[in-house]
Amino acid sequence: MYKILVVDDEERIRRMITKYAELEGYSTEEASDGIEAIEKCRKNKYDILIIDIMMPELDGFSACREIRKFSDVPIIMLSARGEEYDKLNGFGLGVDDYVVKPFSPKELMMRIDAIMKRAGKKSSGIGGSGTEHEIIEIEGLKADLTARIVYVDDEKVEMSPKEYDLFFYMLKNRNIALTRERLISEVWGYDFFGDDRTLDTHIKLLRKSLGKYASLIVTLRGVGYRFDANI
């Protein structure tokens, strides 16, 4: 049974999400602001967080920033606004999905289920008796795929979970034209409910993280992207 923390200053929204989540068999807890959410996350373990942006005391962005310092729990962010800046900010903090109000509770439940399935697939692939790390080095870039660590000119770079996923997938498929559909399907999952702008946003964030090596990610107009690199 998944345990969900619902964070929103509107009781009506919290109750609605809780109602549908419990119908799906999920266990839920609630928090009315960012400070309460951080406190609960420090004391309890959750499978996924649903956090509103605009809240009193501490907003959703600030709460996510603090939570990411000690937890990589999946996060879905809620907002009454749909500006690209909000999405860039949220994804940059490691948010897994972004839902604009008003939203369909049933769709939100499907998004939760999709994220949990992907998280489950990831966890099932971790472990094993081997200790050898898969490392790819290209010019001043070094990626330890096993440890999920990236270095740019010997400096460790911090990325959001999805940035790591996207970067590692492109690295493994370097010098291959990757369609937008393929990238979304492989990185986000075939059941992803977002749109192409989510991919574009993460490409922007990834290029920023790679610094002077951003040009290795080539845009293929009308097709998608390609990571140009020779090892």
Side-chain angles (χ1 to χ4, degrees):
M1 177 187 293
Y2 299 140
K3 188 174 182 181
I4 303 172
L5 178 63
V6 182
V7 188
D8 198 301
D9 61 314
E10 293 187 52
E11 183 178 3
R12 176 181 59 85
I13 299 294
R14 297 199 308 271
R15 294 301 181 193
M16 177 184 67
I17 295 174
T18 295
K19 175 184 176 180
Y20 278 84
E22 291 180 347
L23 285 173
E24 294 292 326
Y26 303 144
S27 170
T28 63
E29 289 188 14
E30 299 178 18
S32 59
D33 59 58
I35 293 177
E36 185 180 1
I38 295 170
E39 292 174 349
K40 283 182 174 289
C41 286
R42 289 189 184 279
K43 296 177 182 177
N44 305 288
K45 183 177 178 62
Y46 300 100
D47 293 296
I48 191 167
L49 311 182
I50 301 174
I51 303 180
D52 185 35
I53 291 180
M54 301 300 292
M55 295 185 293
E57 300 296 334
L58 192 69
D59 64 85
F61 287 140
S62 299
C64 287
R65 187 176 294 108
E66 289 303 311
I67 291 169
R68 276 288 174 257
K69 291 179 180 179
F70 60 86
S71 174
D72 61 354
V73 60
I75 297 175
I76 294 178
M77 184 157 277
L78 304 177
S79 175
R81 304 178 301 182
E83 286 87 349
E84 184 182 29
Y85 170 78
D86 284 344
K87 292 186 177 183
L88 281 167
N89 198 8
F91 289 138
L93 293 172
V95 171
D96 294 81
D97 205 349
Y98 193 101
V99 178
V100 178
K101 296 179 180 178
F103 57 87
S104 162
K106 290 184 178 180
E107 180 183 337
L108 178 60
M109 294 305 110
M110 293 178 74
R111 287 176 182 260
I112 291 172
D113 187 58
I115 289 174
M116 289 293 91
K117 284 179 179 178
R118 292 196 295 273
K121 288 177 183 176
K122 270 191 220 173
S123 62
S124 66
I126 296 174
S129 57
T131 56
E132 185 176 349
H133 284 221
E134 182 181 1
I135 297 175
I136 296 177
E137 294 189 60
I138 301 169
E139 298 180 29
L141 285 177
K142 180 180 178 181
D144 185 331
L145 279 66
T146 308
R148 289 176 71 84
I149 299 175
V150 176
Y151 295 94
V152 174
D153 291 335
D154 296 323
E155 288 193 17
K156 186 177 178 181
V157 176
E158 295 295 336
M159 299 183 181
S160 69
K162 272 292 174 284
E163 276 184 87
Y164 282 120
D165 292 342
L166 179 60
F167 182 42
F168 292 166
Y169 182 78
M170 296 184 80
L171 271 180
K172 290 180 178 180
N173 294 277
R174 56 193 174 276
N175 302 318
I176 297 174
L178 301 171
T179 65
R180 303 172 71 83
E181 293 76 13
R182 179 176 175 181
L183 285 168
I184 290 174
S185 175
E186 295 295 333
V187 178
W188 278 266
Y190 70 90
D191 46 5
F192 176 63
F193 293 97
D195 55 36
D196 287 0
R197 287 175 295 179
T198 296
L199 172 60
D200 295 335
T201 297
H202 280 82
I203 289 291
K204 288 180 182 178
L205 291 169
L206 181 55
R207 281 173 167 158
K208 182 178 180 181
S209 296
L210 296 180
K212 68 180 184 182
Y213 301 106
S215 60
L216 295 176
I217 300 177
V218 179
T219 300
L220 306 175
R221 289 189 178 182
V223 179
Y225 298 94
R226 183 181 64 242
F227 193 90
D228 277 349
N230 294 312
I231 297 179

